[in-house]
Amino acid sequence: VDIFFVISGFLITRLILIKIKQNNFSLKEFFSRRIKRLMPVLFFVKIFILIFGYFIMSPYEYFSLIDQLIYSTFFLSNIYLWTNSDYFSVDIFENPIVHTWSLSLEEQFYLFFPLLIIFVIRFFNKKYLSTILILIGIFSLSLAQFGGNLNFNKPYIEEKILFFNQPIFAGYFMPFGRIWEFLFGSILFINKERIEILLSKKKSLFSIIGFFLIIIPIFVYDESYLFPSIYTLIPVVGTSLLIVTFDIKNFIFKILCSRYLVYTGLISYSFYLWHQPLFAFYKIYFFDNIRTIDIFLLL
């Protein structure tokens, strides 16, 4: 998901700035394309979840599911989960639509970000865009990392300052502590040429570093790690390094750009939508009676 946020910020910034440069950027067209890209398969999966859930979920679980489906339709699934559960609690793994929180967060970014770019370019100057995005990104990461040290009463800061102190409004599901991941990709696009020149002599080395920065958290991080936080910088920086060091001659990119992986990437959105319903319904139906062979079949 962190990789996804960085790439999303990069691509959306490229799309918007190229359109603005060509003087044909349209908010209506922008939002229309995003909806057409995301909604059809999402509604199809929701229909499957509703039908299947009716037969195997308890009435309480099913009505909770309907509530969340309504929220997700308006891209507020992350708000629902923030107010109703914790991502790593046991019942979350039996929620077939929990994963739509990230789509809601993405759409909230799409709603806010084009307006921000238009505002900055119109009332300031395009050359300040990168600086403003960096400042917003630093504030967002700082909020997720230290924001819990602040309070609304004098002296407005806790007596004991904790390095990891995340406020509830900048937690796992919320945009306030996540926006910096999207902006990392945005800033990357705006400064891509300068960064490429800076890394040009060591592109192979930095691509390897980027690849391992993405892989390492898979094996090291667990639910005890606070997210988002400074820990999140590792996969975010890794993704950014892979983007700016792209070279088809490099052996890492030869692997990543193989026909089979590219095809998998093209259908990864659908994969993402389907994986959670399959896992959740299986767990509901079989409880903890999970066989090794079934895990392979599900995968």
Side-chain angles (χ1 to χ4, degrees), residues 130-159:
S130 181
T131 303
I132 291 171
L133 296 183
I134 289 171
L135 291 174
I136 295 173
I138 291 172
F139 177 74
S140 171
L141 176 56
S142 300
L143 199 62
Q145 182 73 34
F146 311 110
N149 291 308
L150 306 175
N151 59 60
F152 294 103
N153 302 313
K154 286 184 178 182
Y156 305 112
I157 191 165
E158 298 290 341
E159 289 183 14

Side-chain angles (χ1 to χ4, degrees), residues 1-4 6 141 145 163-164 178 180-181 184 188 206-222 225-243:
V1 169
D2 302 300
I3 297 168
F4 168 70
V6 176
L141 176 56
Q145 182 73 34
F163 185 70
F164 290 98
R178 289 283 189 178
W180 68 272
E181 296 184 66
F184 220 97
L188 194 66
F206 281 109
S207 67
I208 293 170
I209 292 171
F211 182 75
F212 278 102
L213 287 178
I214 289 173
I215 296 298
I216 288 169
I218 297 173
F219 300 100
V220 175
Y221 290 0
D222 57 32
Y225 284 73
L226 185 71
F227 252 67
S229 69
I230 197 167
Y231 291 129
T232 318
L233 271 171
I234 292 178
V236 166
V237 170
T239 304
S240 303
L241 285 174
L242 280 182
I243 291 172

Side-chain angles (χ1 to χ4, degrees), residues 11-292:
L11 294 176
I12 290 302
T13 304
R14 183 176 71 173
L15 186 153
I16 294 171
L17 290 182
I18 289 175
K19 288 283 187 179
I20 288 176
K21 189 176 181 179
Q22 296 171 346
N23 292 316
N24 65 350
F25 178 73
S26 163
L27 281 172
K28 182 180 178 181
E29 180 194 6
F30 175 81
F31 293 133
S32 174
R33 287 180 65 180
R34 304 284 77 71
I35 290 170
K36 288 176 181 176
R37 168 75 179 91
L38 297 175
M39 292 304 289
V41 66
L42 178 58
F43 271 111
F44 185 80
V45 172
K46 284 181 179 181
I47 291 169
F48 166 82
I49 290 171
L50 271 175
I51 295 171
F52 214 80
Y54 177 81
F55 292 102
I56 69 168
M57 297 178 85
S58 70
Y60 174 79
E61 289 175 325
Y62 191 67
F63 284 115
S64 296
L65 173 67
I66 292 172
D67 281 345
Q68 193 180 338
L69 284 168
I70 294 169
Y71 271 80
S72 68
T73 301
F74 297 98
F75 298 110
L76 296 171
S77 185
N78 59 329
I79 306 297
Y80 175 89
L81 290 164
W82 174 61
T83 55
N84 286 276
S85 62
D86 168 63
Y87 191 81
F88 294 105
S89 59
V90 175
D91 64 326
I92 282 296
F93 296 109
E94 296 179 4
N95 182 337
I97 200 165
V98 63
H99 59 322
T100 59
W101 73 270
S102 63
L103 302 179
S104 296
L105 196 56
E106 185 189 13
E107 283 301 316
Q108 290 157 19
F109 173 75
Y110 290 163
L111 184 65
F112 145 82
F113 189 63
L115 301 176
L116 175 64
I117 288 184
I118 292 169
F119 177 81
V120 171
I121 291 175
R122 182 170 297 177
F123 294 101
F124 295 93
N125 191 300
K126 188 178 177 181
K127 67 180 181 179
Y128 297 117
L129 180 60
S130 181
T131 303
I132 291 171
L133 296 183
I134 289 171
L135 291 174
I136 295 173
I138 291 172
F139 177 74
S140 171
L141 176 56
S142 300
L143 199 62
Q145 182 73 34
F146 311 110
N149 291 308
L150 306 175
N151 59 60
F152 294 103
N153 302 313
K154 286 184 178 182
Y156 305 112
I157 191 165
E158 298 290 341
E159 289 183 14
K160 185 180 179 181
I161 305 298
L162 301 176
F163 185 70
F164 290 98
N165 198 339
Q166 189 179 84
I168 57 172
F169 58 84
Y172 193 94
F173 297 112
M174 299 303 285
F176 307 110
R178 289 283 189 178
I179 195 73
W180 68 272
E181 296 184 66
F182 292 97
L183 295 183
F184 220 97
S186 302
I187 295 160
L188 194 66
F189 173 75
I190 297 169
N191 300 281
K192 186 170 182 284
E193 291 182 5
R194 278 180 286 182
I195 298 171
E196 283 177 335
I197 292 170
L198 193 66
L199 304 182
S200 59
K201 293 181 180 179
K202 301 279 187 178
K203 283 180 78 172
S204 295
L205 174 63
F206 281 109
S207 67
I208 293 170
I209 292 171
F211 182 75
F212 278 102
L213 287 178
I214 289 173
I215 296 298
I216 288 169
I218 297 173
F219 300 100
V220 175
Y221 290 0
D222 57 32
E223 57 265 38
S224 68
Y225 284 73
L226 185 71
F227 252 67
S229 69
I230 197 167
Y231 291 129
T232 318
L233 271 171
I234 292 178
V236 166
V237 170
T239 304
S240 303
L241 285 174
L242 280 182
I243 291 172
V244 294
T245 58
F246 176 78
D247 185 351
I248 196 63
K249 296 176 184 177
N250 185 305
F251 80 97
I252 284 181
F253 292 106
K254 283 182 179 178
I255 296 170
L256 294 178
C257 293
S258 68
R259 182 173 57 179
Y260 302 105
L261 283 183
V262 169
Y263 176 75
T264 304
L266 290 172
I267 62 173
S268 61
Y269 172 58
S270 296
F271 267 151
Y272 182 73
L273 289 181
W274 281 110
H275 85 279
Q276 181 64 21
L278 293 177
F279 292 152
F281 285 141
Y282 182 90
K283 194 169 190 304
I284 291 169
Y285 192 77
F286 290 101
F287 299 102
D288 291 322
N289 248 341
I290 300 174
R291 301 176 303 174
T292 303

